Amino acid sequence: MSRKAIVIGGGLGGMAAAIRARARGLEVTLIDRGNHLGGKAAVYECEGFRHDGGPTVITAPFLFTELFECLGERLEDHVRLVPLDPWYRFRFHDGLTFDYGGTVEDTLAEIRKFDERDVDGYLRLLNHSKAVFDVAFTRLASEPFHDIGMMLRQLPKLLQLRGDRSVWAFVSRYLKDDHLRRAFSIQPLLVGGNPFDTTCIYSLIHYLERHWGIFFPMGGTGALVAALEGLMRRHGIEIRLASEVVKIDVNAGRAQGVWLENGERLASDIVVANTDAPYLYSWMLEQSSVAWTAKLKTRAARYSMGLFVLYFGTRRKYETLAHHTIWMGQRYESLLDDIFHKKILPEDFSLYIHRPTATDPDFAPEGCDSFYVLCPVPNLQGTVDWNLEGPRLRDRIVTALDETVMPGLKDCIAGAFYKTPVDFKDEHLSLHGAAFSIAPLFTQSAWFRFHNRAEGIKNLYLVGAGCHPGAGMPGVLCSAKVFDGLMAREAA
């Protein structure tokens, strides 16, 4: 008789884990509390405009290719990935712009517009980023860090690469121009970290982008989710939606199934939790079964920022906006200090603007554009009243865009709605409404991060943003590869 696996949570990490478990011959049931799969990669529609709910940047497409190959299919038969150029367009507070992407020569030509000296600095930055990538991604991102000895063996190399230094310090070592320093240090914000605190291990993201490029799936991230769902259904993975797992059934230190909100118990040989790791250890397990290491990590955890995400359409097109635009406010370090440390909502902001209609016009009616604007904000450990501040922040963002890169926005905006950290807490069960679970600090990486094999409980595994290797699409997909490797070793 085949072994049974239950996967809790149908985000990208959960779907990847379900596919890999099925490829190893397990009977798999995936359970999600929502009405659709995808987790934060939801799809919203309003007044004829479509919006990807969350992740939009595909940086390591081979990780999706592997999932289809696991079950004998090809990604390209179901989804078309389109390379973007530029990857990002930066628009600074003084009106200057910087297009990042394309070839190295394209990037160097953009750098020369700011400071000729930074051409050589960028090339040295790229080489250092590659060295970090070769260790932290190629060798370690898919390896488990359950054994402290594994961490100790890697520590000299990580320290040699200055993993104790922040991303900002890493970038500032090579670049002199403040515009460029800001542009090349924003990557930690894509995985929930403050560039002034995040370990420069995450500088590998720069080479990751350079190595494979940045892609957009036609139809959006939602098209990827739909393709993965189809793959699972074709290969016999049972999917149960609108069903919430409230407790993991643990007996004699082993996970043996789950309890649903309706009182139903489902038995299984293994359980995979694609949930917020601190929430899992705080609410879904009896504390007597949790190891002291997981309890300590939960109590001491430092969390990512929250997000305010404004979705809207426009009854005209904004052709000068790239697919991804980073709208940089005047403040940088002090703004991030307000958000991450003081946990107050500033009057100013920086913004990430996603315009999918730059690549796929089907996201909006003819002659229109679809947008979402992401604004980093404090998580719920602060005291922001989002019932009051949500509408105010929406209006401030619309005004700022109207006065800069989107003239006339106030007159043509349509179908606007937004999500706050409260929605992340309620919809995704993220503690404190943290958009990316725990922050990517050196003291919350590798062995110090939540392990992929549960601490204190056998047959329970973790995938997703809060466990090793971390947040972001490559991170959560690699967490499923770690789980896959553990299955292979334990079956041997």
Side-chain angles (χ1 to χ4, degrees):
M1 181 180 295
S2 298
R3 299 178 72 213
K4 295 182 179 180
I6 288 176
V7 179
I8 308 168
L12 291 170
M15 290 189 287
I19 290 166
R20 289 183 178 277
R22 185 71 185 117
R24 292 199 174 273
L26 278 72
E27 293 182 23
V28 181
T29 299
L30 186 152
I31 305 171
D32 194 275
R33 65 198 295 265
N35 294 318
H36 306 280
L37 294 178
K40 297 183 181 75
V43 176
Y44 305 116
E45 296 200 19
C46 185
E47 297 185 16
F49 297 92
R50 192 189 331 152
H51 308 282
D52 277 329
T56 64
V57 177
I58 309 296
T59 50
F62 78 93
L63 291 168
F64 288 102
T65 299
E66 285 181 354
L67 295 178
F68 283 82
E69 290 176 345
C70 277
L71 296 176
E73 297 196 30
R74 302 194 314 160
L75 170 67
E76 55 267 35
D77 291 336
H78 304 281
V79 180
R80 183 161 71 95
L81 298 179
V82 177
L84 299 183
D85 186 15
W87 300 336
Y88 307 104
R89 174 167 295 151
F90 291 87
R91 195 272 186 189
F92 299 99
H93 65 92
D94 54 10
L96 295 178
T97 61
F98 172 67
D99 279 4
Y100 170 51
T103 66
V104 172
E105 282 304 318
D106 292 334
T107 300
L108 295 180
E110 289 287 306
I111 289 172
R112 288 188 180 93
K113 297 192 302 188
F114 291 87
D115 194 324
E116 180 70 33
R117 296 174 298 174
D118 284 337
V119 169
D120 178 66
Y122 172 75
L123 293 174
R124 290 186 291 119
L125 178 152
L126 186 59
N127 285 334
H128 192 158
S129 177
K130 181 181 184 302
V132 178
F133 172 89
D134 288 341
V135 174
F137 187 86
T138 303
R139 284 170 43 191
L140 302 179
S142 300
E143 291 295 319
F145 268 86
H146 305 134
D147 180 2
I148 187 64
M150 170 75 162
M151 181 71 179
L152 294 175
R153 288 191 295 275
Q154 301 303 326
L155 199 57
K157 186 64 176 178
L158 294 175
L159 291 176
Q160 180 185 346
L161 294 169
R162 293 305 308 270
D164 59 317
R165 185 169 51 190
S166 72
V167 168
W168 174 259
F170 166 82
V171 170
S172 296
R173 176 185 177 189
Y174 295 108
L175 302 176
K176 300 181 182 300
D177 183 84
D178 188 62
H179 299 84
L180 298 177
R181 285 178 170 180
R182 295 186 183 200
F184 286 109
S185 66
I186 61 100
Q187 283 89 352
L189 290 163
L190 302 178
V191 293
N194 181 347
F196 295 88
D197 297 332
T198 298
T199 167
C200 82
I201 293 170
Y202 284 83
S203 67
L204 68 84
I205 296 174
H206 179 75
Y207 187 77
L208 184 95
E209 294 171 337
R210 177 60 64 193
H211 186 62
W212 282 291
I214 289 179
F215 296 83
F216 182 74
M218 296 302 285
T221 311
L224 265 177
V225 172
L228 291 170
E229 179 176 357
L231 178 69
M232 290 189 290
R233 292 189 184 279
R234 287 192 298 276
H235 291 271
I237 295 173
E238 180 186 4
I239 298 172
R240 295 185 59 164
L241 300 173
S243 300
E244 182 170 355
V245 174
V246 294
K247 191 74 69 176
I248 295 172
D249 186 12
V250 178
N251 186 23
R254 292 178 178 271
Q256 297 183 333
V258 300
W259 290 95
L260 303 185
E261 188 176 36
N262 64 7
E264 183 181 2
R265 179 186 180 275
L266 301 177
S268 67
D269 296 292
I270 67 171
V271 176
V272 185
N274 178 213
T275 61
D276 181 49
Y279 182 89
L280 169 75
Y281 282 116
S282 298
W283 298 104
M284 300 180 71
L285 292 163
E286 295 293 342
Q287 290 304 294
S288 59
S289 65
V290 177
W292 69 268
T293 51
K295 291 178 180 178
L296 179 61
K297 290 174 186 178
T298 302
R299 285 197 297 268
R302 293 172 61 187
Y303 291 84
S304 78
M305 78 289 199
L307 292 177
F308 178 91
V309 191
L310 176 61
Y311 305 89
F312 60 90
T314 57
R315 297 297 181 190
R316 53 160 286 192
K317 296 188 76 69
Y318 285 89
E319 300 285 5
T320 59
L321 284 179
H323 190 113
H324 297 125
T325 297
I326 311 294
W327 188 98
M328 301 288 285
Q330 185 167 358
R331 293 195 303 148
Y332 190 50
E333 182 176 8
S334 61
L335 175 68
L336 295 173
D337 184 59
D338 285 347
I339 293 168
F340 282 88
H341 301 144
K342 296 177 182 176
K343 292 184 169 53
I344 59 175
L345 182 64
E347 287 297 313
D348 57 335
F349 39 70
S350 288
L351 306 170
Y352 167 92
I353 305 169
H354 181 230
R355 179 181 169 239
T357 36
T359 303
D360 186 347
D362 289 342
F363 269 72
E366 187 174 355
C368 301
D369 268 335
S370 175
F371 290 92
Y372 88 52
V373 177
L374 183 154
C375 178
V377 296
N379 63 39
L380 297 178
Q381 290 175 306
T383 59
V384 178
D385 181 350
W386 284 106
N387 289 324
L388 181 65
E389 296 297 343
R392 291 180 179 176
L393 182 54
R394 173 200 61 201
D395 293 345
R396 294 207 310 273
I397 290 173
V398 170
T399 296
L401 295 176
D402 183 275
E403 293 175 349
T404 55
V405 295
M406 299 181 69
L409 173 60
K410 290 182 178 180
D411 297 325
C412 70
I413 192 169
F417 63 98
Y418 59 82
K419 302 282 185 178
T420 77
V422 175
D423 296 298
F424 281 83
K425 177 180 74 72
D426 293 344
E427 295 177 11
H428 305 295
L429 301 181
S430 300
L431 279 193
H432 309 301
F436 302 90
S437 192
I438 61 173
L441 307 171
F442 187 75
T443 53
Q444 294 186 159
S445 298
W447 185 85
F448 300 112
R449 205 166 183 86
F450 290 101
H451 296 174
N452 304 91
R453 182 194 290 128
E455 296 164 69
I457 303 164
K458 295 181 179 179
N459 301 336
L460 174 61
Y461 301 88
L462 279 67
V463 297
C467 61
H468 172 69
M473 270 201 259
V476 300
L477 294 175
C478 282
S479 72
K481 289 188 71 172
V482 177
F483 159 65
D484 191 27
L486 290 170
M487 281 195 298
R489 293 175 193 184
E490 288 163 10

